[in-house]
């Protein structure tokens, strides 16, 4: 069964609280999503493989440690885009794939409209990013599509999750570890996370 990592860092808790606030502006929301993803990235990249290479300092030769460059960041469009820059600034050599899914607001079922991934996805540690894990339908479907293209090392990162979504994703993909900044109380009857932050895509892109 996959592991669930819920962040327990005061800076993340502070920033998540600001992110939730309905009075937070679009600019602030984008900045906060970036900063939280950056802090979470530290945890989600903890087990990346290192290679060694000699480095010469002004004083001596020493062993240097370098992250292998085999990482892919895959945002689920569109709200996942809000976490990409942070991850790319941590791992500049990573490649970015995109998967376009939207949740049909009537049926709550995910509908795929775009998928473009690095061609060597099977060799990469894939980090799928999306701020919200609500019913889990979008994340489970995105990961299904990514696996069909050959990916076999996948982690999922989100800012806010509902317990229902965590369970659904674990059931669908027991091999995928999940990194969560805040595990919230529940879903409401419209499939929104409570207390949550509302519609992440709208708040990131100002389309309220
Ligand atoms: C949001 C969010 C997730 C999805 C989560 O996207 O960014 O992708 O909902 O819900 P689920 O777990 O119930 O599938 P949305 O479908 O609103 O699309 P958008 O990013 O284009 O706004
Ligand atoms: N998608 C969002 O953007 N917010 C939610 O609360 C649930 C799904």
């Amino acid at each position: 069964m996959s592991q669930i990592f819920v962040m327990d860092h005061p800076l993340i808790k502070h920033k998540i609280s600001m992110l939730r606030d309905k009075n937070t502006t679009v600019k602030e929301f984008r900045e906060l999503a970036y900063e939280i993803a950056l802090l979470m990235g530290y945890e989600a990249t903890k087990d990346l493989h290192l290679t060694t290479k000699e480095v010469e300092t002004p004083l001596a030769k020493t062993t240097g440690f370098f992250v292998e460059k085999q990482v892919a960041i895959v945002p689920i469009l569109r709200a996942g885009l809000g976490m990409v820059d942070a991850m790319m600034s941590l791992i500049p050599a990573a490649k970015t794939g995109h998967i376009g899914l939207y949740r049909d607001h009537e049926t709550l079922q995910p509908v795929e409209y775009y998928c473009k991934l690095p061609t060597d996805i099977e060799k990469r540690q894939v980090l799928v990013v999306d701020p919200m894990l609500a019913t889990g339908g979008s994340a489970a479907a995105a990961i299904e599509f990514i696996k069909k293209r050959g990916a076999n090392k996948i982690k999922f990162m989100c800012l806010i999750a509902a317990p229902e979504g965590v369970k659904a994703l674990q059931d669908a993909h027991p091999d995928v570890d999940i990194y969560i900044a805040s595990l919230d109380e529940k879903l409401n009857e419209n499939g929104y996370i409570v207390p949550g932050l509302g519609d992440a895509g709208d708040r990131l892109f100002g389309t309220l």
Side-chain angles (χ1 to χ4, degrees):
M1 186 52 79
S2 63
Q3 292 196 72
I4 310 295
F5 299 89
V6 181
M7 303 298 115
D8 185 27
H9 192 289
L11 287 177
I12 294 183
K13 287 181 193 288
H14 178 102
K15 289 175 193 295
I16 282 283
S17 305
M18 293 173 72
L19 196 74
R20 292 186 194 281
D21 189 334
K22 65 179 184 183
N23 296 313
T24 293
T25 65
V26 172
K27 176 175 181 288
E28 290 163 344
F29 192 93
R30 252 196 325 263
E31 290 167 355
L32 287 162
Y34 175 95
E35 290 163 8
I36 299 164
L38 197 68
L39 291 165
M40 292 179 75
Y42 178 80
E43 196 61 35
T45 54
K46 242 179 179 169
D47 59 355
L48 281 182
H49 288 286
L50 293 171
T51 51
T52 56
K53 195 178 157 200
E54 191 176 78
V55 174
E56 205 170 337
T57 78
L59 301 178
K61 288 183 177 167
T62 185
T63 305
F65 298 91
F66 297 90
V67 168
E68 285 179 5
K69 293 180 180 132
Q70 308 290 62
V71 176
I73 312 297
V74 181
I76 301 179
L77 302 178
R78 75 196 148 135
L81 290 173
M83 298 171 71
V84 172
D85 287 352
M87 296 308 295
M88 289 304 293
S89 63
L90 287 176
I91 320 165
K95 289 198 175 170
T96 310
H98 293 87
I99 181 145
L101 287 177
Y102 67 87
R103 202 170 66 141
D104 185 297
H105 284 275
E106 297 287 309
T107 63
L108 301 183
Q109 291 304 306
V111 182
E112 187 198 1
Y113 61 88
Y114 187 78
C115 186
K116 183 86 180 167
L117 302 174
T119 49
D120 57 354
I121 194 83
E122 73 285 351
K123 293 190 198 138
R124 294 179 176 271
Q125 167 68 62
V126 180
L127 297 169
V128 178
V129 296
D130 189 327
M132 309 304 278
L133 180 64
T135 64
S138 303
I143 290 169
E144 190 64 44
F145 292 130
I146 295 166
K147 282 185 174 171
K148 280 198 180 127
R149 310 264 177 131
N152 52 63
K153 286 187 295 267
I154 304 176
K155 295 182 181 195
F156 179 77
M157 293 172 63
C158 63
L159 303 185
I160 302 210
E164 296 89 332
V166 174
K167 179 168 188 328
L169 186 53
Q170 270 196 310
D171 288 349
H173 299 288
D175 55 318
V176 174
D177 289 344
I178 308 174
Y179 294 79
I180 302 167
S182 174
L183 181 58
D184 276 14
E185 195 188 321
K186 59 174 184 184
L187 287 182
N188 72 9
E189 59 285 4
N190 299 317
Y192 275 82
I193 301 174
V194 182
L197 50 72
D199 187 304
D202 285 345
R203 295 201 59 189
L204 265 173
F205 298 108
T207 47
L208 287 166

